[in-house]
Amino acid sequence: MRVCDLPLSADFVSHYESNGIEELYPPQEAAVEAGVANGGRVVAAIPTASGKTFIAELAMLTADGPGLYIVPLRALAREKYETFDQLPGVNVGISTGDFDSAEEDLGEYDIVVATSEKVDSAIRNGASWVESLACVVVDEVHLLGAPGRGPTLEMTLATLQRRVPDLQLVALSATVDNPETIASWLDAELVESTWRPVSLRTGVYSDESVAFDDGTSLAVDVPPLGPKDDADTEATVSLVADAVTSGGQCLAFVRSRREAESLAERLAEEDLSPATDLGDELRELGGTATGAHLADCASTGVGFHHAGLRSSHRAAVETAFRERRLAVICATPTLAAGVNVPARRVVIRDQKRYTGDAMEWIPVLDVHQMCGRAGRPHLDPYGEAVLVGDEATHDELVERYVEADAEAVDSQFDDRESLRTHVLSVVASGFADSVAGVVDVFAATYYAHQQADVDLTALVSDVVSELERMEMLTVDGSTLSATTLGSQTSRQYVSPTTGARIVSGIRTIQTMADENVTPRTALEVVCDTPDMLDTYLGNRERALMYQYARTHAAEFTTAMGEAESFEDWLTAVKTARILHEWSQGETIEDLVERYRIGPGDLESRVERAEWLLGAADALCGALDSDVPEFREVRALLSP
DNA sequence: CTAGGGATACTTTAGACAGCATGTC
DNA sequence: CTAAAGTATCCCTAG
């Protein structure tokens, strides 16, 4: 099937042809046969780089009205925005938490790219543009199975289906075990394929050789180990060096940030590629120790990538790699599911990760996503993914990751926090005013589809009484309504637990002496909330932090003897302290050094604090109260 | 007396979405 | 069922 045979206008056909797209890939053809270009609902479970974007564009361009493209990450939203913006005569908008298209109403765009939470929020707040959509494409739908965020995506899709008649839904998924369940939930045709434009072989390394799944093998020359050498690391170094010397780029995945950096340092010693001026460019982006370390490695063609990096550094590493100015990136799983960063070879040194109580195998889906980054269409003759193991683990790795299918996608809606959030949002936004009404909405979720025998009425009633106790909902006979507090909580997009914590903070503040209410007070409230990221509190720091908490005890809304979990509270105090010092003009360099956090960690906490302080200010309004400190600190956080 | 080796105890550990409304220039 | 690498500390010994 050819592009010119599709129901596309001449402009689009020539756009694609001038980009070298004339013949459809098999999965794309299958999607067309399933009806994507004729308003049909389709779930496509196909590998990355097998032409998902084209399927999405086809659906949105042939739909009779505006399209919405839902992504899980802000960086992905920007990437897709730029891609769609290339389409001739198509007006593209973007809407994410940190960036919104101009003043224009989103309804005026042909295509809007947005994160799933942003769409959920728009629906909750009654944005009218949503109703006029003709086509919605969901990228990475398998995230339905992600705790916390999956339920939001379920609700968004359930609500969109109910509110927009004849909506065309297209969902793009990684290869998972039960795509048919997702397809039947969405009442869509399933297109499944493992076809890739660049062939991929996956293998396991042990004893100086890689055994690939296609039966081939690769001898790897690993120099004799010194006493301090780690076998897995040296094997990884050899595998990376081999890929780079033969003209390819390589991604190496490891367990932790620290190890990503130390592997990068180790590879930098190898002098794999000629020195460039990339290091100097990175140095201009800012002067933390992490940034300097990155710049040093980058001048030898090796980068590292993890969430401790500031987002500008991360973006710079991604771009430099795409432009082939970096030969290698050593990364934590950040890079597995983010923006498009394909390489000739992918080496996965660590397959286990610490999860809080034990070392656990990384999910098969995640490993497959990492492997899927191997092979650049049009640039590499093939892609290779190598799992580093040894004689003892070889067979288990083959069985677990090379031969196994990815896990099934299971609903995570059955979680109190998620249930509270969505029961409240359904009532607050006026989509239901009774338990039966909420159940009716929930009946359209993936959860209800998967768990047909669950007693939704009992579950919802239970959650309703919880929300009633939290003063978020009132019950009058069988009529539910949101309190001012409940509707503000929902609109501000904070979880009910966060809303309740802020409310109790405000009430305590009303009882405090004026001189004790300070910026620290405002930050403590907001940082003691589940919507704030917690900050690791080291053993050595604990005593100092305790001291700090005692010194400022009068300014806090939590009495030290009464904290539900003292450890958690002390962690919140640490976050509040960092943010307070930041608001007082401390530099990133100092804070990163003093509290042993990454520059990116500070960045993300500042971002959240801005959001939560704004929410706290709005909740004050719902309580007929005013705590100017919420606004005052907030103003000091952003430069 | 001290530098340094080595055993041992202790510390640390991936990622990242989200708001708003009223008056004013 | 299930951790492992990195770092600080301390003690001992060789010079």
Side-chain angles (χ1 to χ4, degrees):
Chain A
M1 192 182 291
R2 301 175 64 81
V3 171
C4 55
D5 302 327
L6 295 166
L8 287 172
S9 70
D11 281 351
F12 295 130
V13 173
S14 57
H15 166 79
Y16 287 119
E17 287 178 348
S18 65
N19 282 285
I21 303 173
E22 291 183 8
E23 193 75 27
L24 271 63
Y25 289 154
Q28 294 168 339
E29 199 168 323
V32 170
E33 278 157 15
V36 249
N38 297 297
R41 290 187 170 200
V42 171
V43 169
I46 58 180
T48 331
S50 61
K52 284 179 178 173
T53 305
F54 180 76
I55 295 177
E57 289 177 354
L58 201 49
M60 294 190 290
L61 295 177
T62 55
D64 188 21
L68 169 65
Y69 191 89
I70 303 177
V71 291
L73 301 170
R74 300 193 294 211
L76 229 36
R78 241 155 291 162
E79 185 184 63
K80 291 300 175 194
Y81 170 81
E82 277 157 27
T83 307
F84 299 149
D85 203 38
Q86 305 292 309
L87 294 166
V90 176
N91 195 8
V92 188
I94 182 170
S95 181
T96 68
D98 61 339
F99 188 71
D100 250 304
S101 281
E103 323 299 294
E104 232 175 318
D105 188 76
L106 288 171
E108 298 177 21
Y109 295 100
D110 302 313
I111 293 176
V112 172
V113 184
T115 50
S116 42
E117 283 75 12
K118 193 71 181 186
V119 178
D120 183 40
S121 168
I123 294 172
R124 281 192 206 184
N125 293 311
S128 56
W129 60 271
V130 173
E131 316 256 323
S132 60
L133 290 170
C135 176
V136 171
V137 180
V138 194
D139 200 0
E140 318 275 0
V141 238
H142 54 270
L143 288 173
L144 280 171
R149 301 189 64 194
T152 304
L153 189 53
E154 281 191 41
M155 278 300 293
T156 304
L157 296 182
T159 315
L160 280 172
Q161 291 195 72
R162 284 168 54 97
R163 298 181 59 86
V164 188
D166 304 321
L167 180 69
Q168 179 185 15
L169 266 174
V170 174
L172 310 173
S173 173
T175 314
V176 295
D177 198 50
N178 61 342
E180 66 285 346
T181 315
I182 302 173
S184 69
W185 172 51
L186 294 174
D187 193 20
E189 190 96 13
L190 175 62
V191 173
E192 240 184 315
S193 165
T194 55
W195 185 91
R196 289 174 42 107
V198 183
S199 69
L200 170 67
R201 51 178 184 165
T202 305
V204 173
Y205 167 92
S206 70
D207 193 24
E208 306 215 4
S209 119
V210 182
F212 285 104
D213 56 351
D214 63 355
T216 61
S217 67
L218 174 76
V220 185
D221 186 31
V222 182
L225 298 184
K228 285 184 201 160
D229 290 343
D230 172 70
D232 291 350
T233 302
E234 294 311 309
T236 304
V237 169
S238 298
L239 284 160
V240 170
D242 176 62
V244 174
T245 35
S246 61
Q249 288 174 290
C250 193
L251 296 177
F253 287 100
V254 295
R255 178 175 31 207
S256 69
R257 297 174 179 184
R258 201 168 50 194
E259 286 168 274
E261 294 190 25
S262 58
L263 179 61
E265 212 172 311
R266 173 72 187 80
L267 283 163
E269 291 169 10
E270 298 286 304
D271 283 324
L272 295 173
S273 58
T276 67
D277 54 357
L278 181 61
D280 300 323
E281 280 174 43
L282 287 171
R283 251 177 274 272
E284 285 167 19
L285 283 175
T288 59
T290 314
H293 188 196
L294 178 63
D296 290 343
C297 295
S299 49
T300 67
V302 183
F304 56 84
H305 191 282
H306 58 66
L309 289 183
R310 287 172 46 193
S311 48
S312 56
H313 276 142
R314 273 197 265 176
V317 169
E318 292 155 6
T319 307
F321 191 79
R322 269 196 298 263
E323 291 170 351
R324 316 207 73 170
R325 300 175 68 200
L326 278 177
V328 188
I329 303 180
C330 303
T332 57
T334 9
L335 218 55
V339 295
N340 190 30
V341 184
R344 163 108 40 105
R345 181 179 289 173
V346 168
V347 180
I348 304 173
R349 195 196 68 186
D350 304 328
Q351 299 90 31
K352 284 185 170 181
R353 198 160 53 214
Y354 182 73
T355 55
D357 41 60
M359 212 65 181
E360 282 174 9
W361 291 103
I362 296 174
V364 179
L365 180 56
D366 295 14
V367 170
H368 285 184
Q369 298 258 71
M370 295 178 201
C371 294
R373 307 250 100 152
R376 278 178 74 142
H378 313 302
L379 287 171
D380 291 321
Y382 53 85
E384 289 173 336
V386 180
L387 305 170
V388 176
D390 56 32
E391 288 86 345
T393 56
H394 189 108
D395 293 348
E396 173 152 32
L397 290 177
V398 170
E399 198 181 318
R400 183 179 285 274
Y401 292 118
V402 181
E403 290 169 352
D405 289 331
E407 293 83 358
V409 175
D410 291 321
S411 172
Q412 304 294 315
F413 205 73
D414 183 12
D415 164 85
R416 297 313 277 197
E417 186 81 328
S418 298
L419 285 166
R420 279 192 293 267
T421 299
H422 296 294
V423 169
L424 178 61
S425 85
V426 166
V427 177
S429 49
F431 297 153
D433 62 357
S434 64
V435 169
V438 176
V439 167
D440 198 37
V441 175
F442 281 13
T445 59
Y446 186 58
Y447 176 61
H449 183 76
Q450 271 199 310
Q451 313 279 329
D453 51 347
V454 77
D455 185 353
L456 282 177
T457 306
L459 198 58
V460 171
S461 309
D462 206 33
V463 173
V464 163
S465 35
E466 269 181 50
L467 289 166
E468 200 184 358
R469 282 195 296 278
M470 297 167 87
E471 303 172 55
M472 301 279 168
L473 291 182
T474 55
V475 184
D476 178 21
S478 68
T479 306
L480 305 178
S481 44
T483 60
T484 319
L485 191 61
S487 72
Q488 271 304 334
T489 299
S490 178
R491 289 168 88 171
Q492 294 295 323
Y493 213 80
V494 295
S495 77
T497 317
T498 291
R501 171 64 186 94
I502 291 174
V503 166
S504 89
I506 294 170
R507 287 184 177 146
T508 307
I509 287 170
Q510 288 169 336
T511 69
M512 287 164 61
D514 280 356
E515 70 270 19
N516 285 335
V517 181
T518 68
R520 282 190 195 88
T521 318
L523 286 167
E524 181 242 353
V525 170
V526 146
C527 292
D528 192 29
T529 266
D531 280 318
M532 175 53 85
L533 298 155
D534 35 49
T535 308
Y536 184 83
L537 182 61
N539 278 332
R540 264 188 285 278
E541 273 175 304
R542 186 166 288 109
L544 289 169
M545 210 51 69
Y546 184 84
Q547 199 60 49
Y548 178 84
R550 279 223 330 228
T551 309
H552 297 287
E555 296 166 62
F556 295 142
T557 64
T558 309
M560 288 178 72
E562 288 167 18
E564 256 182 71
S565 159
F566 188 73
E567 276 302 296
D568 291 350
W569 181 72
L570 212 51
T571 294
V573 169
K574 175 174 176 178
T575 313
R577 182 177 186 175
I578 296 171
L579 290 168
H580 183 242
E581 292 181 11
W582 171 252
S583 75
Q584 299 296 107
E586 287 283 349
T587 60
I588 310 187
E589 291 90 328
D590 289 343
L591 292 172
V592 159
E593 170 74 21
R594 197 174 311 152
Y595 298 103
R596 290 189 294 174
I597 55 171
D601 298 314
L602 178 63
E603 195 176 63
S604 55
R605 277 153 189 78
V606 168
E607 209 170 73
R608 279 195 192 213
E610 288 179 302
W611 161 48
L612 292 169
L613 288 164
D617 186 46
L619 290 178
C620 279
L623 294 179
D624 287 321
S625 168
D626 186 38
V627 181
E629 282 75 12
F630 287 132
R631 289 190 299 277
E632 290 166 11
V633 205
R634 189 179 184 278
L636 292 175
L637 286 177
S638 48

